[in-house]
Amino acid sequence: MKLEQVTIPGAPALSALCYRPEASTLPGAALLAHGYTSGKYSLDGLASYLAGRGCCALTFDFPGHKLGGSGGEMTCAADAASAVRRALSWLRKEFGGRPIVLIGHSLGAAASLHVAGTEWTSGARDLAGVASLCMGDNPASGFAGPLGQAMLAQRGDYVAGLAAAALLQEVGALLPACRDLPIPSLLIAARQDILISPGSVERLAETIGPLCRLETIEATHLDAPDRARPLLMRWIEGMLADR
């Protein structure tokens, strides 16, 4: 595998890593979007796993995330969707029409689902599918209790821009764009997730339509990307093998 540092232009520029396999055995690429307060480092295990099995992968840091390298601020949830769209544009230029799979965790999942829906509506047909880890129909609800509030208080300063509670209220507004999505989607729930319950993920899956597959894995909210690696790889192979 070859690891390449990438700068995706825009305001702010996005710090990214491209994982290029030694031998590309699949005809597409995967775009990975991380969760709130995290950074692209949290998807390194998944991205390197995919590249080791022949699928090129791109990770990037959302704006305002202090554990990443993009700088700037996250002023609203729509900034996350805009960052996914910019990273997708870079992939399109780099790989020239090859099919692309979007994979997101938590906030990155909501942004990826939103982009999948809006890109398809605008006529883009190179998206092969979208996978969502730990995102449900009402993402703010899991933070309403004492534990969720404590986590927000502890982690809120990790992101520059809109306050955490206000941003989470906006994340749910990204999700209606993926209703009746006409491309394959995979929604993964984590059985030990205390923030986004499996029931919430199931309710979101019901809105996406008949091409949506729902899976539940033994994982917490934070370790779901690593625990889901074999499942995601099989899903990607199934979609891209015949393209």
Side-chain angles (χ1 to χ4, degrees), residues 90-108:
W90 185 90
L91 263 183
R92 282 174 169 152
K93 292 176 182 177
E94 186 73 9
F95 293 101
R98 290 200 287 177
I100 295 170
V101 176
L102 303 181
I103 301 174
H105 175 233
S106 196
L107 171 64

Side-chain angles (χ1 to χ4, degrees), residues 131-223:
S132 163
L133 293 89
C134 303
M135 178 47 55
D137 66 331
N138 186 5
S141 64
F143 294 87
L147 183 57
Q149 289 297 305
M151 291 182 68
L152 290 182
Q154 179 190 29
R155 301 287 295 180
D157 198 43
Y158 279 70
V159 180
L162 187 65
L167 182 72
L168 287 168
Q169 290 295 334
E170 294 186 5
V171 170
L174 298 175
L175 299 173
C178 68
R179 287 174 181 163
D180 301 316
L181 195 62
I183 58 174
S185 56
L186 174 64
L187 265 63
I188 299 175
R191 205 178 303 277
Q192 289 84 42
D193 192 343
I194 60 174
L195 299 176
I196 305 293
S197 70
S200 175
V201 179
E202 182 178 0
R203 290 191 295 273
L204 176 59
E206 290 170 354
T207 72
I208 295 178
L211 295 181
C212 181
R213 171 182 166 190
L214 174 66
E215 296 282 352
T216 302
I217 62 173
E218 296 296 335
T220 66
H221 188 83
L222 293 179
D223 68 6

